[in-house]
Short mmCIF file of all heavy atoms in Angstrom, two decimals:
data_model
loop_
_atom_site.label_atom_id
_atom_site.label_comp_id
_atom_site.label_asym_id
_atom_site.label_seq_id
_atom_site.Cartn_x
_atom_site.Cartn_y
_atom_site.Cartn_z
N ILE A 332 -68.64 -159.84 15.46
CA ILE A 332 -68.16 -161.20 15.68
C ILE A 332 -69.30 -162.11 16.12
O ILE A 332 -69.51 -163.20 15.56
CB ILE A 332 -67.00 -161.21 16.70
CG1 ILE A 332 -65.75 -160.58 16.09
CG2 ILE A 332 -66.71 -162.64 17.17
CD1 ILE A 332 -64.59 -160.43 17.05
N PHE A 333 -70.06 -161.68 17.12
CA PHE A 333 -71.17 -162.50 17.60
C PHE A 333 -72.23 -162.67 16.50
O PHE A 333 -72.78 -163.76 16.30
CB PHE A 333 -71.81 -161.87 18.83
CG PHE A 333 -71.10 -162.17 20.13
CD1 PHE A 333 -70.55 -161.15 20.88
CD2 PHE A 333 -71.00 -163.47 20.58
CE1 PHE A 333 -69.90 -161.42 22.08
CE2 PHE A 333 -70.36 -163.76 21.78
CZ PHE A 333 -69.80 -162.73 22.53
N ALA A 334 -72.54 -161.58 15.80
CA ALA A 334 -73.61 -161.63 14.78
C ALA A 334 -73.25 -162.63 13.68
O ALA A 334 -74.10 -163.44 13.26
CB ALA A 334 -73.84 -160.24 14.19
N HIS A 335 -72.01 -162.61 13.22
CA HIS A 335 -71.61 -163.55 12.16
C HIS A 335 -71.60 -164.99 12.67
O HIS A 335 -72.02 -165.91 11.94
CB HIS A 335 -70.25 -163.16 11.60
CG HIS A 335 -70.33 -162.11 10.52
ND1 HIS A 335 -70.78 -162.39 9.25
CD2 HIS A 335 -70.03 -160.79 10.54
CE1 HIS A 335 -70.75 -161.28 8.52
NE2 HIS A 335 -70.31 -160.30 9.28
N MET A 336 -71.13 -165.21 13.88
CA MET A 336 -71.13 -166.58 14.40
C MET A 336 -72.56 -167.10 14.56
O MET A 336 -72.84 -168.26 14.26
CB MET A 336 -70.39 -166.63 15.74
CG MET A 336 -68.89 -166.42 15.62
SD MET A 336 -67.96 -166.86 17.13
CE MET A 336 -68.71 -165.76 18.33
N LEU A 337 -73.47 -166.25 15.03
CA LEU A 337 -74.85 -166.68 15.22
C LEU A 337 -75.54 -166.99 13.89
O LEU A 337 -76.45 -167.83 13.84
CB LEU A 337 -75.63 -165.60 15.97
CG LEU A 337 -75.31 -165.50 17.47
CD1 LEU A 337 -75.77 -164.17 18.03
CD2 LEU A 337 -75.96 -166.65 18.22
N HIS A 338 -75.11 -166.33 12.82
CA HIS A 338 -75.70 -166.59 11.50
C HIS A 338 -74.95 -167.69 10.75
O HIS A 338 -75.29 -168.00 9.60
CB HIS A 338 -75.72 -165.29 10.68
CG HIS A 338 -76.79 -164.33 11.11
ND1 HIS A 338 -76.61 -163.45 12.16
CD2 HIS A 338 -78.05 -164.12 10.65
CE1 HIS A 338 -77.72 -162.74 12.33
NE2 HIS A 338 -78.60 -163.12 11.43
N ASP A 339 -73.93 -168.27 11.38
CA ASP A 339 -73.18 -169.38 10.80
C ASP A 339 -72.94 -170.41 11.89
O ASP A 339 -71.86 -170.47 12.49
CB ASP A 339 -71.86 -168.86 10.23
CG ASP A 339 -71.09 -169.92 9.45
OD1 ASP A 339 -71.46 -171.11 9.54
OD2 ASP A 339 -70.12 -169.57 8.75
N PRO A 340 -73.94 -171.26 12.19
CA PRO A 340 -73.85 -172.20 13.31
C PRO A 340 -72.63 -173.10 13.28
O PRO A 340 -72.06 -173.42 14.33
CB PRO A 340 -75.15 -173.01 13.20
CG PRO A 340 -76.11 -172.10 12.50
CD PRO A 340 -75.27 -171.32 11.52
N ALA A 341 -72.19 -173.51 12.08
CA ALA A 341 -71.02 -174.38 11.99
C ALA A 341 -69.77 -173.65 12.49
O ALA A 341 -68.94 -174.23 13.20
CB ALA A 341 -70.82 -174.86 10.56
N TYR A 342 -69.66 -172.39 12.13
CA TYR A 342 -68.51 -171.61 12.60
C TYR A 342 -68.60 -171.39 14.11
O TYR A 342 -67.60 -171.46 14.82
CB TYR A 342 -68.43 -170.28 11.86
CG TYR A 342 -67.04 -169.69 11.82
CD1 TYR A 342 -66.20 -169.91 10.73
CD2 TYR A 342 -66.54 -168.95 12.89
CE1 TYR A 342 -64.91 -169.40 10.70
CE2 TYR A 342 -65.26 -168.44 12.88
CZ TYR A 342 -64.45 -168.67 11.78
OH TYR A 342 -63.16 -168.17 11.76
N LEU A 343 -69.80 -171.11 14.59
CA LEU A 343 -70.00 -170.92 16.04
C LEU A 343 -69.58 -172.17 16.80
O LEU A 343 -68.90 -172.07 17.84
CB LEU A 343 -71.46 -170.57 16.32
CG LEU A 343 -71.83 -170.39 17.80
CD1 LEU A 343 -71.05 -169.26 18.44
CD2 LEU A 343 -73.35 -170.14 17.93
N ASP A 344 -69.94 -173.33 16.29
CA ASP A 344 -69.55 -174.58 16.96
C ASP A 344 -68.04 -174.73 17.00
O ASP A 344 -67.47 -175.19 18.01
CB ASP A 344 -70.18 -175.78 16.24
CG ASP A 344 -71.67 -175.90 16.50
OD1 ASP A 344 -72.15 -175.28 17.47
OD2 ASP A 344 -72.35 -176.60 15.73
N ALA A 345 -67.36 -174.35 15.90
CA ALA A 345 -65.89 -174.46 15.86
C ALA A 345 -65.25 -173.56 16.91
O ALA A 345 -64.30 -173.95 17.60
CB ALA A 345 -65.38 -174.10 14.47
N VAL A 346 -65.79 -172.35 17.08
CA VAL A 346 -65.24 -171.42 18.08
C VAL A 346 -65.56 -171.93 19.48
O VAL A 346 -64.72 -171.84 20.39
CB VAL A 346 -65.79 -170.00 17.86
CG1 VAL A 346 -65.28 -169.05 18.95
CG2 VAL A 346 -65.37 -169.47 16.49
N TYR A 347 -66.76 -172.48 19.70
CA TYR A 347 -67.10 -173.08 20.99
C TYR A 347 -66.06 -174.13 21.38
O TYR A 347 -65.56 -174.14 22.52
CB TYR A 347 -68.48 -173.75 20.92
CG TYR A 347 -69.62 -172.94 21.49
CD1 TYR A 347 -70.73 -172.63 20.71
CD2 TYR A 347 -69.62 -172.53 22.82
CE1 TYR A 347 -71.80 -171.90 21.22
CE2 TYR A 347 -70.68 -171.81 23.36
CZ TYR A 347 -71.77 -171.50 22.55
OH TYR A 347 -72.82 -170.79 23.07
#
Side-chain angles (χ1 to χ4, degrees):
I332 290 175
F333 278 118
H335 275 286
M336 290 194 301
L337 286 162
H338 285 83
D339 187 347
Y342 204 95
L343 178 60
D344 286 343
V346 177
Y347 260 123

